[in-house]
Amino acid sequence: MRLKLPPWILLTDVGPIPGLDNPLLNIPTADGFPSPSATADASRSVSPTPAEAADHPREFQKSQRRPKDVAAHLVYIRYLQRNQPTRTSIETFGTGYQDYLQAPLQPLTDNLESVTYEVFEKDPVKYDWYERAVAHALSDWSKQHKPTSSPTGAVVIAVAGSGRGPLVTRSLKASETTGIPVEVWAVEKNPNAYVLLQRHNVADWGGAVNVVKSDMRAWKGPQRAATSEGVPVYGKVDILVSELLGSFGDNELSPECLDGVQHVLAPQYGISIPSSYTAHLTPVLAPKLHAEISQRAVTEPSATDTPYVVMLHAIDYLATSVPDSARIQEAWEFSHPLPGATLASAEARRGGGVSGGGGGSMAGGDGANEHNTRYSRLKFVCRDRGVVHGLAGYFEAVLYDGEAGKVELSTRPDNIDAKSKDMISWFPIFFPLKVHLSSLAAIHGIRLTCSIRTLFTFLMIQRWRSVSGDKPTIGKSGMNGW
């Protein structure tokens, strides 16, 4: 184990500080500032030569006789404390959250509370990057002279899962910055957030936003007109903006949600923000988390089957970066929008129109979501011995990749400063192991899907040598479902 925050100092056998229990005794104050005598010694411009010291031994010995500072070590510790590096944004925001286990959010099934939205909205970096991505997309749209889906020629932007509206505000700002007119639709299923969106539309957006209360997967698109029989006619969306990413990228079912709303996206030129995201894993030693999860498992048997969102602190990364084997490795990737043939095949399976449809699939259900199944096999090199208590999960996302370059987000500790410094919206995810390994050779990760549920499971394989040859030991996580 290594200490995470400076100063890295342990004091032993220093004894008590004399006089601290006696208020009448005058002792040096350990305020972190040097005493006047120490300052005078440090400010001497010329030190005596050995010859001068030999000629006047009594004078120099007398000048060097001073009482011992009984609180010298405490003064120095206070000095270090005063001169510590400034805390980063995530260290300031995460105070009190270190190694605190939280259940991942499930916004698809639960309506989030207003205070939850408020916490997310405190992250300026994420929304700055989203605004930049929308601005780049609008600029490229104009430069490439793409046709729009609006009768007025404005670029149609839909914010799917608008929450309390921060992405709507940023989309309007991007339009103002680029000078490109937009038609904005805000789609939100949460009734409480929907009411607040309506209020924002009147008070802040000047009625420029079309607010729709609907699950994004059931939304039919911008309503344009109606036929003579009164049947509504729906249009398409040019840019689809969402913030459905979880701590592991896809663990809050972003792929399933965006697949369900893709039918409203313009088929030829439509843009999804984000356009892709990847999940990443690494084995970790986490005794504190292991102890707490083990304690929970006494009364809650599913505790070891549950992934947790946690600001990792008292942990150690066991893998070592070597050629062809990084410390943190990519498990799988999702991209949007999907090719039309993939969605057509999924719909055919849903209706039982292709082989394997109708009767179900290996993942269960009707097989319509099989294209979101993933499998990965990762090899890690662990040179230092240590117990693998679980897997730490991160994600990276490309919001938009255009003529001005990529706009990216990352929660990987080795990439976050380069791609999205000081972003605080996501803590890592922790997958606990039921069987703990002393070393690690490979991880097999599986994302299983069906029409009603998505499951994650990981198998860790350790090989050790004996007289009879190599023998594997297998540790696994539970079937973590959403």
Side-chain angles (χ1 to χ4, degrees):
M1 294 294 293
R2 63 176 181 271
L3 300 178
K4 285 300 186 77
L5 298 176
W8 303 283
I9 291 178
L10 296 176
L11 297 178
T12 61
D13 298 328
V14 295
I17 300 176
L20 285 183
D21 55 348
N22 185 358
L24 302 179
L25 184 62
N26 185 18
I27 62 172
T29 303
D31 57 0
F33 296 100
S35 63
S37 60
T39 303
D41 284 345
S43 64
R44 291 186 60 170
S45 58
V46 180
S47 298
T49 64
E52 291 174 339
D55 292 340
H56 308 280
R58 293 184 178 180
E59 177 182 347
F60 288 110
Q61 289 177 7
K62 182 178 180 181
S63 64
Q64 293 173 2
R65 290 174 183 170
R66 294 188 178 90
K68 181 180 179 181
D69 189 349
V70 295
H73 62 280
L74 186 56
V75 171
Y76 187 63
I77 290 294
R78 293 283 174 84
Y79 168 78
L80 292 176
Q81 184 180 19
R82 287 176 178 273
N83 292 275
Q84 286 189 77
T86 305
R87 286 190 173 189
T88 64
S89 298
I90 193 167
E91 288 174 344
T92 303
F93 174 79
T95 301
Y97 287 98
Q98 292 94 338
D99 295 325
Y100 177 73
L101 298 173
Q102 305 176 72
L105 295 175
Q106 299 186 36
L108 185 60
T109 57
D110 301 331
N111 289 325
L112 302 183
E113 298 180 356
S114 182
V115 66
T116 304
Y117 288 121
E118 184 178 356
V119 171
F120 292 147
E121 291 167 10
K122 291 180 179 179
D123 187 347
V125 175
K126 178 178 73 172
Y127 294 111
D128 285 348
W129 262 233
Y130 264 97
E131 181 181 340
R132 180 183 299 181
V134 174
H136 287 185
L138 290 174
S139 297
D140 290 349
W141 197 286
S142 178
K143 292 176 182 177
Q144 297 167 13
H145 305 288
K146 296 179 181 179
T148 68
S149 301
S150 171
T152 63
V155 178
V156 182
I157 299 177
V159 180
S162 302
R164 304 200 312 177
L167 287 182
V168 176
T169 300
R170 294 303 184 121
S171 298
L172 293 172
K173 286 184 178 180
S175 171
E176 182 180 352
T177 301
T178 59
I180 299 173
V182 296
E183 176 188 320
V184 180
W185 292 76
V187 183
E188 177 55 52
K189 70 177 181 62
N190 188 332
N192 299 320
Y194 171 71
V195 172
L196 189 57
L197 288 172
Q198 291 179 310
R199 185 184 305 171
H200 280 317
N201 197 24
V202 174
D204 303 322
W205 302 328
V209 178
N210 303 280
V211 182
V212 179
K213 182 181 180 298
S214 172
D215 187 311
M216 67 180 73
R217 298 167 296 174
W219 185 47
K220 297 180 180 180
Q223 185 172 346
R224 296 300 178 196
T227 64
S228 56
E229 292 81 13
V231 179
V233 177
Y234 298 96
K236 295 294 184 180
V237 170
D238 298 320
I239 300 177
L240 183 66
V241 185
S242 63
E243 52 174 335
L244 305 171
L245 299 173
S247 294
F248 199 48
D250 57 289
N251 63 291
E252 293 183 10
L253 306 187
S254 176
E256 285 74 15
C257 292
L258 293 181
D259 289 354
V261 75
Q262 186 174 323
H263 65 276
V264 307
L265 194 61
Q268 186 173 0
Y269 299 110
I271 296 173
S272 173
I273 299 177
S275 62
S276 66
Y277 38 92
T278 52
H280 301 254
L281 290 168
T282 188
V284 293
L285 167 74
K288 184 176 180 180
L289 298 180
H290 165 63
E292 184 168 347
I293 294 171
S294 299
Q295 185 177 5
R296 291 188 181 189
V298 174
T299 57
E300 185 182 345
S302 63
T304 56
D305 295 334
T306 304
Y308 299 92
V309 173
V310 56
M311 184 179 180
L312 299 175
H313 183 69
I315 62 107
D316 199 7
Y317 297 104
L318 297 177
T320 303
S321 292
V322 297
D324 300 326
S325 181
R327 168 178 283 180
I328 303 174
Q329 299 182 27
E330 178 183 322
W332 47 66
E333 179 180 13
F334 290 91
S335 299
H336 302 282
L338 287 175
T342 302
L343 286 181
S345 177
E347 284 301 316
R349 283 195 296 269
R350 191 187 308 278
V354 298
S355 177
S361 67
M362 290 179 63
D366 54 21
N369 197 34
E370 278 187 346
H371 60 281
N372 285 324
T373 298
R374 294 291 187 272
Y375 168 77
S376 66
R377 183 178 185 276
L378 308 177
K379 278 189 173 183
F380 291 92
V381 176
C382 301
R383 291 179 175 174
D384 299 328
R385 294 186 61 83
V387 177
V388 183
H389 290 117
L391 301 175
Y394 307 91
F395 81 90
E396 292 191 333
V398 177
L399 297 182
Y400 181 72
D401 185 4
E403 295 182 5
K406 293 182 180 180
V407 181
E408 299 179 87
L409 302 176
S410 177
T411 63
R412 283 181 49 150
D414 55 345
N415 288 342
I416 187 171
D417 286 348
K419 296 185 177 182
S420 49
K421 182 177 174 61
D422 294 332
M423 185 176 67
I424 59 177
S425 286
W426 293 277
F427 290 156
I429 196 167
F430 178 72
F431 295 96
L433 295 188
K434 289 185 174 181
V435 178
H436 303 119
L437 309 179
S438 59
S439 63
L440 192 63
I443 295 177
H444 296 260
I446 307 172
R447 185 187 198 266
L448 296 174
T449 68
C450 66
S451 58
I452 59 174
R453 197 174 187 190
T454 297
L455 300 172
F456 293 85
T457 189
F458 300 96
L459 297 177
M460 276 58 65
I461 300 179
Q462 165 198 336
R463 290 189 177 275
W464 52 278
R465 292 186 178 276
S466 66
V467 177
S468 58
D470 285 358
K471 292 186 177 181
T473 300
I474 298 177
K476 72 171 185 175
S477 68
M479 299 290 287
N480 308 296
W482 276 265

